[in-house]
Amino acid sequence: MLVESIILVGKPIVHSDLSNEQRIRWLTDIDSENCKNYFQNVFLVEIDDNKIAYHYIKLGSGEGKNFVVDTLRNSSFPILYPQGGNPLHAQGVYPAPCYLMYDPHIKLMKDPQTFASKVILPRLKNTVSYREQNEEQLISIATRVAKIIAGNYENFISEAKQLGILYIYDHALPIYLFMPERKTDDERYLWIAESKLKNGQHLYIDSDKCIEGIIEAKFAEAKTLGYEKNAISTFTNKREAEVSSIYNKFWLWLSPTWEMPRSIYWAEDGWTNGIKIDRANYEAFLYGSQFLKQITVPISSGILKEMFAPMMNVEAKKYMKPTSFEKIYGVPIVLPLVSSDSKQLYEKYQRLLKGQDKSESDIHLELLAGIHKVIPKTSDDHRLIILYYSGDLSRGDVHIRMIIEDIIPSVAMKLQKIMTDLRRKHIMDIHKAFGSKRDDKQDYRMRSLPSMLANAYGPGYIWSTLQTVFHRQPLYLNRLYQSTAIKLNELANKEDHWGMVDELIFHYAFIFFYREYHREVLKTQKEVKSMSDWIQLLEKYHMGRITIDDLRTAEELGFITGLLLKQFSNSYYRETGKEFVKQRVMKFGSKLTPEMVWKGGVVRCEELANQWDMKLAGNFYSVLPHVLLAFLDADKQNLLSKDKDKFMTAFWSGHLMYQKPKGED
């Protein structure tokens, strides 16, 4: 299950040498782009028995959109951004009395009684640090905090929209401590501010206790949907001191607002009937889910267009904007098959986060999956998972598009090599064969594996074909030939020569991928005509050495016919000033078929050559009778109907590849 994979990702992080400061960054939202503007107004209230003081802090520099948070200090402010629900109400459990304040909260600060009862008190009741306090004590704290803030209200209020943080520093709480030094060599203690109640002292938060509070807060949230003592955990299969429900608001893919996984027979707090998780695995889940959030990247709009634009209509696709498609996000996950060195695995995760130092031995997911991430060199003792989703995760509005599991790293590397070889070398040979100069803008369909598969099979097949390739299953070409033939006919009617060339370049690029995929990955040989085969047949045609044995398949017959009619068309154009295929073989808007090529084209060549006294090279007359006989034979075998798409694709290939040999009259 997905949760188990997340836990496996999180365990190396739990046991890593990650500093406390970094752990707080991982487990809270202090570095979230959603939260940066809250640091512009920090209302720090310091309490020491009967004494109380107010601090106003702007934790950063700049104004408005240009505001930059002070990252040297923000780790001591453990804020949590609400996921779903009404953020104006107290949500979940807070590890420390550090709360996000929205504009309505700030405007309400001038009314201390309402602010204390409606805003501060509900949050204090849900704060881990204050769970030992009774309600009377909490009411007293809320009232005192609200009064001192109201007394300073005029100093910070603005008519413009404001966001802020309410931070209560209570000297009685064990999570806090004070020291005389402004700096400390102990990384455990994170500086907040200079004390106003204790002269010459500075306020610190104990990061060990802060992290414990965060884990406890999150586990307490999960308990609200189900909690059992001395029960068997779904993940350890052992009896644990306490287990809770896995459904939560920390990672909204497992949101309890989605009713589907819940049986109608469960109580509101009976979600442990589905999945029980122990505390240690829940901590790993927290780290793992945060890691996945950090490495999640959107697929680029250019690749999305190639994946989901209509493939059969060239004109429609041409005018579609890349921004027309809903954003899809990709998440790469690396999992060990067996227990492995946590330190080494964590180092891989660090490199995955940074996305730097790319090398040939790394797995380049942008090429393979459309995701701008690089997975460091990984052995087959691991498995890769690629997860695609759309929607807004912050609202729990998540739609999983595809989960491709059990990808073997060595298979991914073989696919990467095939794609790299195609882009670096073989695509140049295909361009050269059609007399086209390579342009990276033309090769956009070959930039990634998802783009290629979508253009070959159509957007409706993208997820299934991706899974097919990563799981080493055979591919088939019927749909590729069908789509290529349809697009070539559309472009031929528009007399779009370079558009046709572009379609054929992609076609033969995919043929190369198909052949190499079966040879290198599946270890099977597939008899398929590649560009090198056509080049050899073209040379044989120029020498007039084509025999009936070269015309056994519909594809071979189509290619030689394309060469033959192009050679004839060149002479016909010199005599008449008209294109032979356009004028005589296909009518405007018609769908050219093998029978039309045969009876409206090849059969009439000799008659028209005599009529116009056309001078044709000797190879034409030596090849023509073999082609006519091959058509009769193909018609008897029903090849012209059964393999019409292969015939037409090969026909246009020959027609566009033909060039008169130098020196020929």
Side-chain angles (χ1 to χ4, degrees):
M1 66 177 74
L2 183 57
V3 174
E4 193 169 18
S5 299
I6 296 172
I7 290 170
L8 287 173
V9 169
K11 281 183 177 178
I13 303 171
V14 172
H15 300 296
S16 70
D17 58 357
L18 196 67
S19 68
N20 280 5
E21 181 188 357
Q22 287 298 319
R23 288 177 189 272
I24 292 173
R25 293 188 185 283
W26 277 55
L27 296 174
T28 65
D29 296 298
I30 59 175
D31 290 329
S32 170
E33 188 67 19
N34 293 327
C35 294
K36 74 171 188 176
N37 288 325
Y38 292 88
F39 287 98
Q40 294 191 62
N41 301 287
V42 178
F43 312 108
L44 175 62
V45 178
E46 183 183 357
I47 302 174
D48 185 19
D49 291 331
N50 295 323
K51 294 182 289 184
I52 190 167
Y54 168 80
H55 305 245
Y56 179 79
I57 302 170
K58 182 178 179 180
L59 204 71
S61 58
E63 298 290 340
K65 294 181 179 179
N66 298 320
F67 180 75
V68 179
V69 180
D70 184 352
T71 54
L72 296 177
R73 293 181 61 188
N74 68 340
S75 57
S76 56
F77 294 73
I79 55 172
L80 297 173
Y81 189 73
Q83 302 289 335
N86 187 344
L88 298 181
H89 298 157
Q91 287 196 32
V93 182
Y94 303 91
C98 188
Y99 316 112
L100 294 180
M101 294 285 106
Y102 291 80
D103 188 61
H105 295 148
I106 295 176
K107 299 299 187 283
L108 194 61
M109 287 177 178
K110 63 183 176 182
D111 181 356
Q113 186 175 354
T114 306
F115 185 63
S117 62
K118 299 294 186 183
V119 180
I120 304 177
L121 184 60
R123 286 164 173 76
L124 293 178
K125 288 180 178 180
N126 290 345
T127 302
V128 172
S129 302
Y130 276 116
R131 60 187 167 185
E132 301 299 328
Q133 306 273 8
N134 59 42
E135 186 165 352
E136 186 179 345
Q137 291 171 315
L138 296 180
I139 292 173
S140 173
I141 293 170
T143 303
R144 294 171 65 195
V145 169
K147 282 183 178 179
I148 195 168
I149 291 178
N152 291 275
Y153 183 77
E154 298 298 332
N155 297 330
F156 60 79
I157 189 61
S158 167
E159 292 184 3
K161 181 180 177 180
Q162 290 177 291
L163 300 172
I165 296 172
L166 172 60
Y167 201 175
I168 301 173
Y169 187 100
D170 190 340
H171 285 267
L173 296 179
I175 196 172
Y176 299 128
L177 71 159
F178 57 90
M179 300 185 216
E181 299 86 1
R182 166 62 178 82
K183 294 181 179 179
T184 176
D185 295 331
D186 194 336
E187 295 181 356
R188 173 177 172 177
Y189 305 113
L190 304 175
W191 184 70
I192 299 174
E194 185 175 356
S195 174
K196 287 188 176 182
L197 297 180
K198 295 184 180 293
N199 189 30
Q201 300 293 314
H202 293 262
L203 309 179
Y204 288 85
I205 187 170
D206 185 330
S207 61
D208 281 353
K209 288 185 170 62
C210 181
I211 292 168
E212 288 174 12
I214 295 169
I215 303 298
E216 175 60 32
K218 293 304 172 187
F219 198 60
E221 281 183 14
K223 287 180 183 179
T224 60
L225 291 171
Y227 171 68
E228 295 179 32
K229 288 186 177 182
N230 196 28
I232 294 176
S233 168
T234 306
F235 300 95
T236 64
N237 202 28
K238 296 177 182 178
R239 196 167 294 279
E240 302 290 345
E242 56 180 358
V243 295
S244 76
S245 162
I246 187 62
Y247 299 99
N248 61 87
K249 288 188 176 182
F250 185 70
W251 199 54
L252 288 182
W253 290 35
L254 298 171
S255 172
T257 57
W258 186 50
E259 293 290 340
M260 282 298 290
R262 180 174 176 270
S263 167
I264 59 173
Y265 300 105
W266 295 0
E268 289 298 324
D269 59 351
W271 287 64
T272 50
N273 291 321
I275 303 174
K276 300 179 178 70
I277 187 167
D278 55 282
R279 190 185 184 92
N281 277 306
Y282 195 78
E283 182 179 357
F285 167 79
L286 295 177
Y287 279 102
S289 56
Q290 283 296 82
F291 174 76
L292 296 187
K293 284 182 185 178
Q294 293 182 56
I295 63 171
T296 297
V297 289
I299 299 175
S300 72
S301 56
I303 292 178
L304 278 180
K305 179 182 177 181
E306 292 308 316
M307 289 172 65
F308 296 106
M311 60 173 270
M312 294 293 191
N313 191 316
V314 179
E315 198 69 18
K317 181 176 179 178
K318 181 179 177 182
Y319 289 103
M320 288 198 79
K321 296 180 180 179
T323 53
S324 303
F325 304 93
E326 182 183 8
K327 271 191 176 182
I328 294 180
Y329 300 86
V331 189
I333 305 172
V334 184
L335 298 177
L337 285 178
V338 294
S339 297
S340 59
D341 187 341
S342 292
K343 185 177 179 181
Q344 288 186 359
L345 195 54
Y346 176 63
E347 288 174 356
K348 289 184 186 294
Y349 290 160
Q350 282 184 310
R351 281 198 60 198
L352 189 55
L353 275 175
K354 294 176 181 177
Q356 299 172 345
D357 305 322
K358 297 179 183 180
S359 71
E360 293 290 330
S361 60
D362 294 337
I363 298 174
H364 296 231
L365 291 178
E366 188 166 20
L367 190 62
L368 295 177
I371 304 171
H372 189 58
K373 282 291 177 183
V374 172
I375 294 179
K377 184 178 180 180
T378 305
S379 71
D380 284 351
D381 292 335
H382 298 77
R383 288 294 182 267
L384 311 179
I385 298 175
I386 301 176
L387 189 154
Y388 296 95
Y389 76 90
S390 59
D392 187 348
L393 184 58
S394 66
R395 297 179 180 177
D397 179 24
V398 179
H399 308 278
I400 294 179
R401 297 297 189 101
M402 188 64 187
I403 301 177
I404 306 176
E405 299 180 291
D406 295 324
I407 301 173
I408 302 172
S410 61
V411 171
M413 288 301 299
K414 287 177 182 177
L415 290 170
Q416 180 170 299
K417 185 178 185 304
I418 294 170
M419 291 293 294
T420 303
D421 289 346
L422 170 63
R423 288 158 54 92
R424 288 182 179 175
K425 179 184 175 184
H426 294 279
I427 195 68
M428 293 292 295
D429 297 336
I430 299 170
H431 275 278
K432 186 178 178 181
F434 287 104
S436 167
K437 291 183 179 180
R438 185 183 177 187
D439 184 350
D440 285 337
K441 292 181 180 179
Q442 291 179 319
D443 295 337
Y444 47 86
R445 288 181 283 188
M446 283 78 84
R447 286 180 186 172
S448 71
L449 184 56
S451 298
M452 283 194 67
L453 293 172
N455 277 278
Y457 295 102
Y461 297 87
I462 176 60
W463 303 125
S464 59
T465 51
L466 258 181
Q467 180 158 279
T468 293
V469 168
F470 281 122
H471 287 173
R472 296 184 295 177
Q473 296 172 347
L475 290 170
Y476 301 96
L477 291 176
N478 291 346
R479 190 166 176 81
L480 172 72
Y481 280 104
Q482 180 189 29
S483 64
T484 303
I486 290 172
K487 287 183 282 188
L488 288 173
N489 191 80
E490 176 189 343
L491 293 165
N493 278 310
K494 296 175 181 177
E495 299 184 50
D496 187 350
H497 171 86
W498 292 112
M500 296 176 74
V501 167
D502 189 39
E503 291 301 328
L504 285 170
I505 287 171
F506 170 76
H507 178 88
Y508 288 108
F510 191 84
I511 290 292
F512 169 83
F513 171 82
Y514 171 86
R515 187 183 65 183
E516 292 301 299
Y517 169 73
H518 280 84
R519 185 169 69 89
E520 295 293 336
V521 180
L522 303 188
K523 303 298 181 185
T524 60
Q525 294 292 334
K526 282 289 182 180
E527 293 297 327
V528 59
K529 293 294 183 182
S530 64
M531 184 51 63
S532 58
D533 297 318
W534 293 142
I535 290 172
Q536 291 177 12
L537 208 55
L538 174 61
E539 292 173 355
K540 201 171 180 180
Y541 175 85
H542 282 311
M543 292 185 287
R545 295 180 181 176
I546 297 296
T547 67
I548 198 68
D549 290 330
D550 297 313
L551 303 168
R552 294 297 182 192
T553 68
E555 208 170 0
E556 290 169 333
L557 178 58
F559 183 75
I560 295 300
T561 304
L563 296 174
L564 188 82
L565 289 191
K566 182 60 176 176
Q567 183 179 5
F568 181 83
S569 183
N570 287 346
S571 296
Y572 185 83
Y573 184 81
R574 284 196 298 271
E575 297 295 335
T576 66
K578 297 178 180 179
E579 290 287 346
F580 174 67
V581 173
K582 185 69 178 177
Q583 183 196 25
R584 295 278 186 170
V585 183
M586 65 186 297
K587 297 177 181 179
F588 179 77
S590 69
K591 181 179 180 181
L592 191 61
T593 65
E595 189 170 355
M596 292 168 66
V597 171
W598 173 26
K599 295 179 179 179
V602 178
V603 168
R604 300 206 59 196
C605 283
E606 193 167 8
E607 172 198 343
L608 292 170
N610 292 331
Q611 178 182 333
W612 291 95
D613 192 24
M614 294 164 59
K615 308 298 182 184
L616 291 159
N619 70 312
F620 177 86
Y621 289 107
S622 65
V623 173
L624 180 61
H626 293 294
V627 171
L628 289 169
L629 288 173
F631 267 110
L632 292 171
D633 191 42
D635 188 45
K636 287 179 183 178
Q637 298 179 54
N638 200 32
L639 292 180
L640 298 182
S641 175
K642 185 175 67 174
D643 293 333
K644 64 180 184 300
D645 294 327
K646 288 186 176 181
F647 177 95
M648 292 310 307
T649 300
F651 169 79
W652 287 118
S653 300
H655 199 267
L656 295 171
M657 282 176 64
Y658 179 85
Q659 291 182 352
K660 185 178 75 172
K662 291 181 180 180
E664 182 182 286
D665 186 4

